Amino acid sequence: MKTVVLLGPPGSGKGTLALRLAGRLGLEHLSTGDLLRDEVARATVLGRRAKEYMDRGELVPDELILDMVAERLSDDRSVLLDGFPRTLAQAKGLEEHVSVDKALYLELGQDEVVRRLSARRVCKECGANYNLLTQPPAEEGRCDRCGGELYQRGDDKPEVIAKRYEVYVRDSSPLVEYYREQGVLESLDGSGSPDGVYQQALSALGHA
Ligand code: AMP
Protein backbone atom coordinates (compact mmCIF):
# COMPACT_ATOMS: atom_id res chain seq x y z
CA MET A 1 0.00 0.00 0.00
CA LYS A 2 1.22 3.46 -0.75
CA THR A 3 0.55 6.97 0.43
CA VAL A 4 1.84 9.81 -1.72
CA VAL A 5 1.41 13.44 -0.68
CA LEU A 6 1.49 16.43 -3.06
CA LEU A 7 2.87 19.68 -1.62
CA GLY A 8 3.15 23.10 -3.22
CA PRO A 9 1.50 26.51 -3.30
CA PRO A 10 -2.00 26.99 -4.71
CA GLY A 11 -1.79 26.94 -8.50
CA SER A 12 1.42 24.88 -8.61
CA GLY A 13 -0.34 22.15 -10.59
CA LYS A 14 -1.15 19.62 -7.85
CA GLY A 15 -4.64 18.87 -9.20
CA THR A 16 -3.51 18.47 -12.81
CA LEU A 17 -0.61 16.22 -11.81
CA ALA A 18 -2.77 14.21 -9.41
CA LEU A 19 -5.29 13.28 -12.10
CA ARG A 20 -2.58 11.87 -14.38
CA LEU A 21 -0.51 10.18 -11.68
CA ALA A 22 -3.44 8.53 -9.97
CA GLY A 23 -4.57 6.94 -13.24
CA ARG A 24 -1.09 5.71 -14.13
CA LEU A 25 -0.14 4.38 -10.69
CA GLY A 26 -3.52 3.02 -9.63
CA LEU A 27 -3.75 5.37 -6.67
CA GLU A 28 -6.99 6.81 -5.37
CA HIS A 29 -7.00 10.60 -5.83
CA LEU A 30 -8.11 12.37 -2.67
CA SER A 31 -8.40 16.15 -2.98
CA THR A 32 -9.62 17.91 0.17
CA GLY A 33 -10.41 21.02 -1.91
CA ASP A 34 -12.69 18.95 -4.21
CA LEU A 35 -14.33 17.19 -1.24
CA LEU A 36 -14.98 20.55 0.42
CA ARG A 37 -16.39 22.13 -2.75
CA ASP A 38 -18.74 19.16 -3.01
CA GLU A 39 -19.86 19.67 0.61
CA VAL A 40 -20.43 23.37 -0.14
CA ALA A 41 -22.45 22.58 -3.29
CA ARG A 42 -24.65 20.19 -1.29
CA ALA A 43 -24.96 22.79 1.52
CA THR A 44 -24.18 20.18 4.20
CA VAL A 45 -23.36 21.26 7.77
CA LEU A 46 -19.65 20.87 7.00
CA GLY A 47 -20.04 22.69 3.68
CA ARG A 48 -21.70 25.69 5.28
CA ARG A 49 -18.99 25.94 7.94
CA ALA A 50 -16.15 25.43 5.46
CA LYS A 51 -17.45 28.02 2.98
CA GLU A 52 -16.77 30.93 5.33
CA TYR A 53 -13.08 30.05 5.45
CA MET A 54 -12.75 29.12 1.79
CA ASP A 55 -14.32 32.37 0.59
CA ARG A 56 -11.71 34.31 2.58
CA GLY A 57 -8.79 32.20 1.35
CA GLU A 58 -8.19 30.82 4.84
CA LEU A 59 -7.71 27.23 5.89
CA VAL A 60 -10.67 25.24 7.15
CA PRO A 61 -9.95 24.21 10.79
CA ASP A 62 -7.84 21.07 11.23
CA GLU A 63 -10.49 19.11 13.19
CA LEU A 64 -13.04 19.47 10.37
CA ILE A 65 -10.51 18.38 7.77
CA LEU A 66 -9.23 15.43 9.81
CA ASP A 67 -12.77 14.18 10.43
CA MET A 68 -13.55 14.47 6.74
CA VAL A 69 -10.50 12.50 5.57
CA ALA A 70 -10.31 9.95 8.41
CA GLU A 71 -13.01 7.72 6.97
CA ARG A 72 -11.24 7.71 3.61
CA LEU A 73 -7.84 6.60 4.92
CA SER A 74 -6.81 3.12 5.87
CA ASP A 75 -3.80 0.87 5.54
CA ASP A 76 -5.33 -1.18 2.77
CA ARG A 77 -5.86 1.76 0.39
CA SER A 78 -3.27 3.39 -1.85
CA VAL A 79 -3.90 7.10 -2.05
CA LEU A 80 -2.58 10.24 -3.66
CA LEU A 81 -3.29 13.14 -1.32
CA ASP A 82 -3.78 16.48 -3.06
CA GLY A 83 -4.11 19.57 -0.84
CA PHE A 84 -3.76 17.58 2.37
CA PRO A 85 -1.98 17.81 4.76
CA ARG A 86 -1.74 21.60 4.80
CA THR A 87 -0.58 22.11 8.41
CA LEU A 88 1.76 20.24 10.75
CA ALA A 89 -1.25 19.24 12.88
CA GLN A 90 -2.83 17.64 9.80
CA ALA A 91 0.44 15.84 8.98
CA LYS A 92 0.50 14.38 12.50
CA GLY A 93 -3.19 13.46 12.25
CA LEU A 94 -2.49 11.69 8.95
CA GLU A 95 0.24 9.60 10.60
CA GLU A 96 -2.31 8.12 12.96
CA HIS A 97 -3.86 6.38 9.94
CA VAL A 98 -1.05 5.75 7.44
CA SER A 99 2.64 6.45 6.90
CA VAL A 100 3.73 8.67 4.03
CA ASP A 101 5.93 6.96 1.44
CA LYS A 102 6.70 10.00 -0.69
CA ALA A 103 5.99 13.73 -0.59
CA LEU A 104 6.27 15.40 -4.01
CA TYR A 105 6.90 19.12 -3.69
CA LEU A 106 5.99 21.30 -6.68
CA GLU A 107 8.13 24.41 -6.39
CA LEU A 108 6.72 27.62 -7.86
CA GLY A 109 7.32 31.32 -7.12
CA GLN A 110 4.66 33.81 -6.04
CA ASP A 111 4.49 35.74 -9.36
CA GLU A 112 3.77 32.57 -11.30
CA VAL A 113 1.18 31.48 -8.72
CA VAL A 114 -0.76 34.73 -9.19
CA ARG A 115 -0.46 34.57 -12.98
CA ARG A 116 -1.73 31.00 -13.12
CA LEU A 117 -4.58 31.29 -10.64
CA SER A 118 -5.96 34.45 -12.25
CA ALA A 119 -6.22 32.61 -15.56
CA ARG A 120 -7.58 29.31 -14.17
CA ARG A 121 -11.03 28.13 -15.24
CA VAL A 122 -12.71 24.95 -14.03
CA CYS A 123 -15.47 22.83 -15.57
CA LYS A 124 -18.69 22.90 -13.53
CA GLU A 125 -19.55 19.36 -14.61
CA CYS A 126 -16.36 17.27 -14.50
CA GLY A 127 -13.91 19.50 -12.59
CA ALA A 128 -11.30 19.60 -15.40
CA ASN A 129 -8.88 22.53 -15.10
CA TYR A 130 -7.98 24.96 -17.90
CA ASN A 131 -5.71 27.97 -18.07
CA LEU A 132 -6.63 30.82 -20.42
CA LEU A 133 -2.92 31.57 -20.98
CA THR A 134 -1.32 28.17 -21.25
CA GLN A 135 -4.06 25.59 -21.71
CA PRO A 136 -7.20 27.26 -23.12
CA PRO A 137 -10.28 25.22 -24.07
CA ALA A 138 -10.96 24.73 -27.82
CA GLU A 139 -14.28 26.57 -27.50
CA GLU A 140 -14.43 29.60 -25.21
CA GLY A 141 -16.18 28.86 -21.92
CA ARG A 142 -16.79 25.14 -22.70
CA CYS A 143 -15.04 22.03 -21.42
CA ASP A 144 -13.21 20.03 -24.14
CA ARG A 145 -13.93 16.78 -22.33
CA CYS A 146 -17.62 17.00 -21.51
CA GLY A 147 -18.95 20.29 -22.93
CA GLY A 148 -19.69 21.59 -19.41
CA GLU A 149 -19.61 25.29 -18.59
CA LEU A 150 -16.28 26.71 -17.38
CA TYR A 151 -16.21 29.08 -14.40
CA GLN A 152 -13.72 30.99 -12.28
CA ARG A 153 -13.53 29.76 -8.69
CA GLY A 154 -14.53 32.43 -6.17
CA ASP A 155 -11.19 31.98 -4.41
CA ASP A 156 -9.26 32.59 -7.66
CA LYS A 157 -10.12 36.33 -7.52
CA PRO A 158 -7.04 38.59 -6.97
CA GLU A 159 -7.63 39.60 -3.33
CA VAL A 160 -8.28 36.00 -2.26
CA ILE A 161 -5.27 34.69 -4.22
CA ALA A 162 -2.95 36.98 -2.24
CA LYS A 163 -4.42 35.74 1.02
CA ARG A 164 -4.13 32.07 0.01
CA TYR A 165 -0.46 32.52 -0.85
CA GLU A 166 0.22 34.19 2.49
CA VAL A 167 -1.55 31.34 4.31
CA TYR A 168 0.45 28.81 2.28
CA VAL A 169 3.77 30.37 3.29
CA ARG A 170 2.78 30.62 6.95
CA ASP A 171 0.99 27.32 7.55
CA SER A 172 1.82 24.88 4.79
CA SER A 173 5.39 25.57 3.64
CA PRO A 174 6.87 24.15 6.92
CA LEU A 175 5.70 20.74 5.69
CA VAL A 176 8.48 20.78 3.11
CA GLU A 177 11.13 20.64 5.86
CA TYR A 178 9.02 18.22 7.87
CA TYR A 179 8.99 15.65 5.06
CA ARG A 180 12.60 16.40 4.09
CA GLU A 181 13.64 15.45 7.63
CA GLN A 182 11.67 12.22 7.29
CA GLY A 183 13.64 11.45 4.12
CA VAL A 184 10.58 11.17 1.86
CA LEU A 185 10.67 14.55 0.08
CA GLU A 186 11.19 14.88 -3.68
CA SER A 187 11.34 18.41 -5.09
CA LEU A 188 10.00 19.04 -8.61
CA ASP A 189 10.28 22.15 -10.75
CA GLY A 190 6.63 23.22 -10.97
CA SER A 191 7.28 25.94 -13.56
CA GLY A 192 7.51 23.54 -16.51
CA SER A 193 4.78 22.17 -18.76
CA PRO A 194 2.23 19.70 -17.32
CA ASP A 195 3.98 16.91 -19.31
CA GLY A 196 7.40 17.87 -17.96
CA VAL A 197 6.16 17.92 -14.35
CA TYR A 198 4.45 14.57 -14.86
CA GLN A 199 7.68 13.00 -16.15
CA GLN A 200 9.63 14.40 -13.18
CA ALA A 201 7.02 12.97 -10.82
CA LEU A 202 7.15 9.53 -12.43
CA SER A 203 10.90 9.35 -12.10
CA ALA A 204 10.77 10.61 -8.49
CA LEU A 205 8.40 7.72 -7.79
CA GLY A 206 10.61 5.22 -9.60
CA HIS A 207 8.25 4.80 -12.58
CA ALA A 208 10.16 6.60 -15.33
P1 AMP B 1 -7.67 23.78 -3.02
O1 AMP B 1 -8.68 23.35 -4.03
O2 AMP B 1 -6.77 22.66 -2.56
O3 AMP B 1 -6.91 25.01 -3.43
O4 AMP B 1 -8.51 24.19 -1.70
C1 AMP B 1 -9.44 25.26 -1.74
C2 AMP B 1 -9.72 25.76 -0.32
O5 AMP B 1 -10.27 24.69 0.46
C3 AMP B 1 -8.48 26.21 0.45
O6 AMP B 1 -8.14 27.57 0.17
C4 AMP B 1 -8.95 26.03 1.89
O7 AMP B 1 -9.84 27.05 2.29
C5 AMP B 1 -9.76 24.74 1.80
N1 AMP B 1 -8.92 23.54 2.02
C6 AMP B 1 -8.63 22.54 1.12
N2 AMP B 1 -7.87 21.61 1.68
C7 AMP B 1 -7.64 22.00 2.96
C8 AMP B 1 -6.90 21.45 4.05
N3 AMP B 1 -6.21 20.31 3.93
N4 AMP B 1 -6.89 22.15 5.21
C9 AMP B 1 -7.59 23.28 5.37
N5 AMP B 1 -8.30 23.86 4.39
C10 AMP B 1 -8.33 23.23 3.19
Short mmCIF file of all heavy atoms in Angstrom, two decimals, residues 10-11 14 31-34 36-37 50-51 53-62 65 68-69 82-87 90 117 120 153 155-156 160 164 167, ligand 1:
data_model
loop_
_atom_site.label_atom_id
_atom_site.label_comp_id
_atom_site.label_asym_id
_atom_site.label_seq_id
_atom_site.Cartn_x
_atom_site.Cartn_y
_atom_site.Cartn_z
N PRO A 10 -0.81 27.07 -3.86
CA PRO A 10 -2.00 26.99 -4.71
C PRO A 10 -1.58 27.35 -6.14
O PRO A 10 -0.77 28.25 -6.34
CB PRO A 10 -2.94 28.05 -4.12
CG PRO A 10 -2.11 28.90 -3.22
CD PRO A 10 -0.96 28.07 -2.78
N GLY A 11 -2.11 26.61 -7.10
CA GLY A 11 -1.79 26.94 -8.50
C GLY A 11 -0.50 26.29 -8.99
O GLY A 11 -0.09 26.51 -10.13
N LYS A 14 -0.93 20.87 -8.60
CA LYS A 14 -1.15 19.62 -7.85
C LYS A 14 -2.34 18.84 -8.43
O LYS A 14 -2.25 17.64 -8.63
CB LYS A 14 -1.42 19.92 -6.35
CG LYS A 14 -0.26 20.62 -5.65
CD LYS A 14 -0.48 20.69 -4.14
CE LYS A 14 -1.65 21.58 -3.74
NZ LYS A 14 -1.48 23.00 -4.03
N SER A 31 -8.65 14.71 -3.02
CA SER A 31 -8.40 16.15 -2.98
C SER A 31 -9.33 16.77 -1.94
O SER A 31 -10.55 16.73 -2.10
CB SER A 31 -8.67 16.77 -4.35
OG SER A 31 -9.01 18.14 -4.23
N THR A 32 -8.75 17.32 -0.87
CA THR A 32 -9.62 17.91 0.17
C THR A 32 -10.36 19.13 -0.38
O THR A 32 -11.50 19.38 0.00
CB THR A 32 -8.82 18.27 1.43
OG1 THR A 32 -7.59 18.89 1.06
CG2 THR A 32 -8.53 17.05 2.26
N GLY A 33 -9.72 19.88 -1.30
CA GLY A 33 -10.41 21.02 -1.91
C GLY A 33 -11.67 20.56 -2.67
O GLY A 33 -12.75 21.13 -2.52
N ASP A 34 -11.53 19.48 -3.46
CA ASP A 34 -12.69 18.95 -4.21
C ASP A 34 -13.76 18.43 -3.25
O ASP A 34 -14.96 18.66 -3.47
CB ASP A 34 -12.28 17.80 -5.14
CG ASP A 34 -11.52 18.29 -6.37
OD1 ASP A 34 -11.49 19.52 -6.60
OD2 ASP A 34 -10.95 17.45 -7.09
N LEU A 36 -14.33 19.41 -0.23
CA LEU A 36 -14.98 20.55 0.42
C LEU A 36 -15.93 21.27 -0.54
O LEU A 36 -17.05 21.64 -0.15
CB LEU A 36 -13.93 21.54 0.95
CG LEU A 36 -13.12 21.06 2.15
CD1 LEU A 36 -11.92 21.99 2.39
CD2 LEU A 36 -13.98 21.01 3.41
N ARG A 37 -15.51 21.45 -1.79
CA ARG A 37 -16.39 22.13 -2.75
C ARG A 37 -17.67 21.32 -2.96
O ARG A 37 -18.74 21.88 -3.12
CB ARG A 37 -15.66 22.37 -4.09
CG ARG A 37 -14.78 23.62 -4.05
CD ARG A 37 -14.11 23.91 -5.39
NE ARG A 37 -13.07 22.96 -5.70
CZ ARG A 37 -11.83 23.02 -5.23
NH1 ARG A 37 -11.46 24.01 -4.44
NH2 ARG A 37 -10.93 22.11 -5.55
N ALA A 50 -17.40 25.30 6.22
CA ALA A 50 -16.15 25.43 5.46
C ALA A 50 -16.17 26.64 4.53
O ALA A 50 -15.15 27.31 4.34
CB ALA A 50 -15.92 24.15 4.65
N LYS A 51 -17.34 26.95 3.98
CA LYS A 51 -17.45 28.02 2.98
C LYS A 51 -16.93 29.36 3.50
O LYS A 51 -16.25 30.09 2.79
CB LYS A 51 -18.90 28.13 2.53
CG LYS A 51 -19.10 29.10 1.36
CD LYS A 51 -20.54 29.06 0.87
CE LYS A 51 -20.75 29.90 -0.38
NZ LYS A 51 -20.20 31.24 -0.34
N TYR A 53 -14.55 29.99 5.50
CA TYR A 53 -13.08 30.05 5.45
C TYR A 53 -12.60 30.08 4.00
O TYR A 53 -11.72 30.84 3.65
CB TYR A 53 -12.48 28.82 6.15
CG TYR A 53 -12.82 28.76 7.62
CD1 TYR A 53 -13.92 28.05 8.08
CD2 TYR A 53 -12.04 29.44 8.55
CE1 TYR A 53 -14.24 28.00 9.42
CE2 TYR A 53 -12.36 29.40 9.91
CZ TYR A 53 -13.46 28.68 10.33
OH TYR A 53 -13.78 28.64 11.66
N MET A 54 -13.21 29.23 3.17
CA MET A 54 -12.75 29.12 1.79
C MET A 54 -12.94 30.44 1.05
O MET A 54 -12.07 30.87 0.30
CB MET A 54 -13.51 28.00 1.07
CG MET A 54 -13.21 26.64 1.67
SD MET A 54 -14.35 25.37 1.10
CE MET A 54 -13.70 25.03 -0.54
N ASP A 55 -14.06 31.11 1.28
CA ASP A 55 -14.32 32.37 0.59
C ASP A 55 -13.28 33.43 0.95
O ASP A 55 -13.01 34.33 0.17
CB ASP A 55 -15.72 32.91 0.96
CG ASP A 55 -16.82 32.13 0.27
OD1 ASP A 55 -16.50 31.34 -0.64
OD2 ASP A 55 -18.01 32.31 0.63
N ARG A 56 -12.72 33.32 2.15
CA ARG A 56 -11.71 34.31 2.58
C ARG A 56 -10.30 33.88 2.23
O ARG A 56 -9.35 34.60 2.53
CB ARG A 56 -11.80 34.51 4.10
CG ARG A 56 -13.10 35.17 4.57
CD ARG A 56 -12.90 35.74 5.97
NE ARG A 56 -12.59 34.69 6.93
CZ ARG A 56 -13.49 34.12 7.74
NH1 ARG A 56 -14.73 34.53 7.70
NH2 ARG A 56 -13.13 33.18 8.58
N GLY A 57 -10.14 32.68 1.68
CA GLY A 57 -8.79 32.20 1.35
C GLY A 57 -8.07 31.65 2.56
O GLY A 57 -6.85 31.48 2.54
N GLU A 58 -8.81 31.37 3.64
CA GLU A 58 -8.19 30.82 4.84
C GLU A 58 -8.34 29.31 4.87
O GLU A 58 -9.15 28.73 4.13
CB GLU A 58 -8.85 31.43 6.08
CG GLU A 58 -8.43 32.88 6.26
CD GLU A 58 -9.23 33.62 7.29
OE1 GLU A 58 -10.01 32.98 8.01
OE2 GLU A 58 -9.07 34.84 7.35
N LEU A 59 -7.59 28.68 5.78
CA LEU A 59 -7.71 27.23 5.89
C LEU A 59 -8.91 26.86 6.74
O LEU A 59 -9.21 27.51 7.74
CB LEU A 59 -6.44 26.64 6.55
CG LEU A 59 -5.16 26.74 5.73
CD1 LEU A 59 -4.02 26.05 6.48
CD2 LEU A 59 -5.33 26.16 4.34
N VAL A 60 -9.58 25.81 6.35
CA VAL A 60 -10.67 25.24 7.15
C VAL A 60 -10.01 24.59 8.38
O VAL A 60 -8.93 24.00 8.26
CB VAL A 60 -11.43 24.19 6.28
CG1 VAL A 60 -12.47 23.45 7.09
CG2 VAL A 60 -12.04 24.88 5.07
N PRO A 61 -10.61 24.73 9.58
CA PRO A 61 -9.95 24.21 10.79
C PRO A 61 -9.56 22.73 10.69
O PRO A 61 -10.29 21.92 10.10
CB PRO A 61 -11.00 24.43 11.89
CG PRO A 61 -11.82 25.58 11.39
CD PRO A 61 -11.86 25.43 9.90
N ASP A 62 -8.41 22.42 11.30
CA ASP A 62 -7.84 21.07 11.23
C ASP A 62 -8.83 19.97 11.62
O ASP A 62 -8.88 18.92 10.97
CB ASP A 62 -6.60 20.98 12.13
CG ASP A 62 -5.44 21.80 11.60
OD1 ASP A 62 -5.35 21.99 10.37
OD2 ASP A 62 -4.62 22.25 12.42
N ILE A 65 -11.19 19.06 8.87
CA ILE A 65 -10.51 18.38 7.77
C ILE A 65 -10.17 16.94 8.17
O ILE A 65 -10.39 15.99 7.41
CB ILE A 65 -9.20 19.15 7.40
CG1 ILE A 65 -9.52 20.56 6.93
CG2 ILE A 65 -8.39 18.37 6.37
CD1 ILE A 65 -10.19 20.64 5.59
N MET A 68 -13.09 14.73 8.10
CA MET A 68 -13.55 14.47 6.74
C MET A 68 -12.68 13.40 6.05
O MET A 68 -13.20 12.55 5.33
CB MET A 68 -13.52 15.77 5.94
CG MET A 68 -13.97 15.65 4.51
SD MET A 68 -14.00 17.25 3.66
CE MET A 68 -12.27 17.47 3.29
N VAL A 69 -11.36 13.45 6.28
CA VAL A 69 -10.50 12.50 5.57
C VAL A 69 -10.36 11.16 6.29
O VAL A 69 -10.08 10.15 5.66
CB VAL A 69 -9.08 13.05 5.26
CG1 VAL A 69 -9.13 14.20 4.31
CG2 VAL A 69 -8.35 13.42 6.51
N ASP A 82 -3.95 15.21 -2.32
CA ASP A 82 -3.78 16.48 -3.06
C ASP A 82 -4.42 17.60 -2.22
O ASP A 82 -5.64 17.63 -2.05
CB ASP A 82 -4.47 16.28 -4.42
CG ASP A 82 -4.79 17.55 -5.17
OD1 ASP A 82 -4.30 18.62 -4.78
OD2 ASP A 82 -5.55 17.46 -6.15
N GLY A 83 -3.57 18.47 -1.66
CA GLY A 83 -4.11 19.57 -0.84
C GLY A 83 -4.26 19.19 0.62
O GLY A 83 -4.83 19.94 1.40
N PHE A 84 -3.74 18.06 0.99
CA PHE A 84 -3.76 17.58 2.37
C PHE A 84 -2.51 16.73 2.58
O PHE A 84 -2.22 15.91 1.70
CB PHE A 84 -5.01 16.73 2.62
CG PHE A 84 -5.01 16.04 3.97
CD1 PHE A 84 -5.46 16.72 5.10
CD2 PHE A 84 -4.52 14.74 4.11
CE1 PHE A 84 -5.43 16.10 6.35
CE2 PHE A 84 -4.49 14.13 5.36
CZ PHE A 84 -4.95 14.81 6.47
N PRO A 85 -1.78 16.85 3.67
CA PRO A 85 -1.98 17.81 4.76
C PRO A 85 -1.53 19.22 4.36
O PRO A 85 -0.70 19.39 3.49
CB PRO A 85 -1.09 17.25 5.86
CG PRO A 85 -0.01 16.51 5.15
CD PRO A 85 -0.62 15.96 3.91
N ARG A 86 -2.09 20.20 5.05
CA ARG A 86 -1.74 21.60 4.80
C ARG A 86 -1.20 22.28 6.05
O ARG A 86 -0.84 23.45 6.01
CB ARG A 86 -2.98 22.34 4.34
CG ARG A 86 -3.02 22.62 2.82
CD ARG A 86 -4.24 23.43 2.58
NE ARG A 86 -4.39 24.15 1.38
CZ ARG A 86 -4.97 23.72 0.28
NH1 ARG A 86 -5.34 22.48 0.16
NH2 ARG A 86 -5.17 24.53 -0.72
N THR A 87 -1.17 21.57 7.17
CA THR A 87 -0.58 22.11 8.41
C THR A 87 0.17 20.94 9.08
O THR A 87 -0.09 19.77 8.77
CB THR A 87 -1.66 22.58 9.40
OG1 THR A 87 -2.46 21.45 9.76
CG2 THR A 87 -2.55 23.68 8.83
N GLN A 90 -2.21 18.59 10.74
CA GLN A 90 -2.83 17.64 9.80
C GLN A 90 -1.86 16.51 9.46
O GLN A 90 -2.25 15.34 9.33
CB GLN A 90 -3.29 18.34 8.53
CG GLN A 90 -4.46 19.29 8.74
CD GLN A 90 -4.92 19.97 7.45
OE1 GLN A 90 -4.56 19.56 6.35
NE2 GLN A 90 -5.71 21.02 7.59
N LEU A 117 -3.25 31.38 -11.27
CA LEU A 117 -4.58 31.29 -10.64
C LEU A 117 -5.55 32.28 -11.26
O LEU A 117 -6.74 31.99 -11.39
CB LEU A 117 -4.48 31.52 -9.13
CG LEU A 117 -3.80 30.43 -8.32
CD1 LEU A 117 -3.86 30.74 -6.84
CD2 LEU A 117 -4.44 29.07 -8.57
N ARG A 120 -7.02 30.68 -14.28
CA ARG A 120 -7.58 29.31 -14.17
C ARG A 120 -9.09 29.33 -14.37
O ARG A 120 -9.80 30.19 -13.87
CB ARG A 120 -7.26 28.74 -12.79
CG ARG A 120 -7.93 27.37 -12.58
CD ARG A 120 -7.28 26.58 -11.50
NE ARG A 120 -7.50 27.11 -10.17
CZ ARG A 120 -6.99 26.57 -9.07
NH1 ARG A 120 -6.21 25.51 -9.16
NH2 ARG A 120 -7.23 27.10 -7.90
N ARG A 153 -13.26 30.00 -10.11
CA ARG A 153 -13.53 29.76 -8.69
C ARG A 153 -13.53 31.09 -7.94
O ARG A 153 -12.74 31.97 -8.22
CB ARG A 153 -12.43 28.86 -8.10
CG ARG A 153 -12.64 27.40 -8.42
CD ARG A 153 -11.49 26.52 -8.04
NE ARG A 153 -10.87 26.82 -6.75
CZ ARG A 153 -9.89 26.10 -6.21
NH1 ARG A 153 -9.42 25.04 -6.85
NH2 ARG A 153 -9.37 26.43 -5.05
N ASP A 155 -12.46 31.71 -5.11
CA ASP A 155 -11.19 31.98 -4.41
C ASP A 155 -10.02 32.17 -5.38
O ASP A 155 -8.88 32.28 -4.96
CB ASP A 155 -10.90 30.91 -3.35
CG ASP A 155 -10.77 29.50 -3.92
OD1 ASP A 155 -11.02 29.32 -5.13
OD2 ASP A 155 -10.43 28.59 -3.15
N ASP A 156 -10.30 32.24 -6.69
CA ASP A 156 -9.26 32.59 -7.66
C ASP A 156 -9.34 34.07 -8.05
O ASP A 156 -8.77 34.49 -9.06
CB ASP A 156 -9.36 31.72 -8.92
CG ASP A 156 -8.77 30.32 -8.71
OD1 ASP A 156 -8.05 30.12 -7.71
OD2 ASP A 156 -9.04 29.43 -9.54
N VAL A 160 -8.30 37.28 -2.98
CA VAL A 160 -8.28 36.00 -2.26
C VAL A 160 -7.00 35.22 -2.60
O VAL A 160 -6.43 34.53 -1.74
CB VAL A 160 -9.54 35.15 -2.56
CG1 VAL A 160 -9.61 33.95 -1.64
CG2 VAL A 160 -10.80 35.98 -2.40
N ARG A 164 -4.43 33.51 0.04
CA ARG A 164 -4.13 32.07 0.01
C ARG A 164 -2.62 31.84 -0.04
O ARG A 164 -2.10 30.91 0.58
CB ARG A 164 -4.80 31.41 -1.21
CG ARG A 164 -6.30 31.27 -1.03
CD ARG A 164 -6.99 30.95 -2.33
NE ARG A 164 -6.69 29.64 -2.83
CZ ARG A 164 -6.80 29.28 -4.11
NH1 ARG A 164 -7.18 30.17 -5.01
NH2 ARG A 164 -6.53 28.06 -4.48
N VAL A 167 -1.21 32.46 3.43
CA VAL A 167 -1.55 31.34 4.31
C VAL A 167 -0.67 30.12 3.98
O VAL A 167 -0.19 29.42 4.86
CB VAL A 167 -3.05 30.98 4.18
CG1 VAL A 167 -3.38 29.65 4.83
CG2 VAL A 167 -3.91 32.09 4.78
P1 AMP B 1 -7.67 23.78 -3.02
O1 AMP B 1 -8.68 23.35 -4.03
O2 AMP B 1 -6.77 22.66 -2.56
O3 AMP B 1 -6.91 25.01 -3.43
O4 AMP B 1 -8.51 24.19 -1.70
C1 AMP B 1 -9.44 25.26 -1.74
C2 AMP B 1 -9.72 25.76 -0.32
O5 AMP B 1 -10.27 24.69 0.46
C3 AMP B 1 -8.48 26.21 0.45
O6 AMP B 1 -8.14 27.57 0.17
C4 AMP B 1 -8.95 26.03 1.89
O7 AMP B 1 -9.84 27.05 2.29
C5 AMP B 1 -9.76 24.74 1.80
N1 AMP B 1 -8.92 23.54 2.02
C6 AMP B 1 -8.63 22.54 1.12
N2 AMP B 1 -7.87 21.61 1.68
C7 AMP B 1 -7.64 22.00 2.96
C8 AMP B 1 -6.90 21.45 4.05
N3 AMP B 1 -6.21 20.31 3.93
N4 AMP B 1 -6.89 22.15 5.21
C9 AMP B 1 -7.59 23.28 5.37
N5 AMP B 1 -8.30 23.86 4.39
C10 AMP B 1 -8.33 23.23 3.19
#
